[in-house]
Amino acid sequence: MFSSPLFQAPFIFLRHGETETNRLGLTAGMTDVILNETGKQQARAAAAVLAGRGVSAIYSSPLQRALVTAHCVAETLHLPVITIPELAERNWGAQEGQPRGTRDRAETPHGGEGLEDFTQRTFAGLAKIPAGGLPLIVAHSGTFRVLCAHFAIEVDTQLENCCPMRFSPPRTPDARWTVAPL
């Protein structure tokens, strides 16, 4: 099991705002798409939800959809954004631009990144986040699934765009990590 200083205390995860590829049900992966107008509105709304919640630092994927979302939140919270390249979404290779329903997460797409490689890269990025405070991670649905799998949290639906999710460690030795929307 992967260990990180991050995994000692609660943290907040925020998937980026909506893009046209999201709206159309297409796979973006490493394609650097931008937020659409709805996504920009979602980012502002998420920033309002996060205000006053004690976020101490903001860490973001370098892809524009996450970075713009993070900067929108940063403006409201008066915090800098720290970019972590390893938090970029999974490279879906030939599947990028294709309908989400045509991909198989367990298989390595042609020209893309396998699940194990993506998971290892994601954990390498998460390991760069120091312990302490209440960090906000702004990234992608793939990153969220990696976190949930690591903590044995079942996820059966797609994470909504810009829905702040709080990950909390177990309160007792026999309990598990939990995740819940703010």
Side-chain angles (χ1 to χ4, degrees):
M1 181 175 247
F2 177 80
S3 179
S4 169
L6 172 67
F7 298 159
Q8 305 302 312
F11 61 92
I12 299 173
F13 181 88
L14 181 65
R15 181 182 179 206
H16 60 79
E18 184 184 82
T19 66
E20 281 305 297
T21 53
N22 295 144
R23 189 183 69 75
L24 297 171
L26 303 175
T27 300
M30 292 288 279
T31 303
D32 203 5
V33 297
I34 61 172
L35 297 180
N36 61 21
E37 284 307 312
T38 298
K40 292 173 187 174
Q41 291 171 3
Q42 290 170 333
R44 288 189 290 273
V49 169
L50 290 164
R53 301 278 182 152
V55 171
S56 57
I58 301 172
Y59 301 90
S60 178
S61 156
L63 297 177
Q64 288 301 305
R65 57 194 185 267
L67 202 52
V68 169
T69 301
H71 280 288
C72 184
V73 173
E75 285 177 24
T76 298
L77 302 185
H78 308 290
L79 292 169
V81 174
I82 300 159
T83 304
I84 300 178
E86 295 88 349
L87 295 181
E89 180 62 286
R90 182 176 174 182
N91 180 348
W92 284 97
Q95 288 292 310
E96 293 191 12
Q98 302 302 310
R100 279 193 298 259
T102 62
R103 67 183 186 202
D104 181 348
R105 288 187 180 113
E107 292 186 20
T108 301
H110 180 71
E113 187 174 24
L115 181 57
E116 187 174 322
D117 290 338
F118 171 61
T119 299
Q120 289 178 358
R121 174 172 57 82
T122 299
F123 283 140
L126 294 169
K128 293 180 176 182
I129 300 173
L134 181 63
L136 169 66
I137 301 166
V138 183
H140 309 274
S141 60
T143 313
F144 181 75
R145 281 190 299 278
V146 165
L147 285 164
C148 288
H150 176 72
F151 293 126
I153 299 170
E154 289 189 34
V155 180
D156 54 355
T157 60
Q158 179 77 10
L159 177 63
E160 297 284 328
N161 291 99
C162 271
C163 177
M165 303 293 285
R166 182 184 176 99
F167 281 83
S168 300
R171 294 182 185 193
T172 63
D174 59 333
R176 291 181 161 182
W177 275 76
T178 58
V179 62
L182 293 180

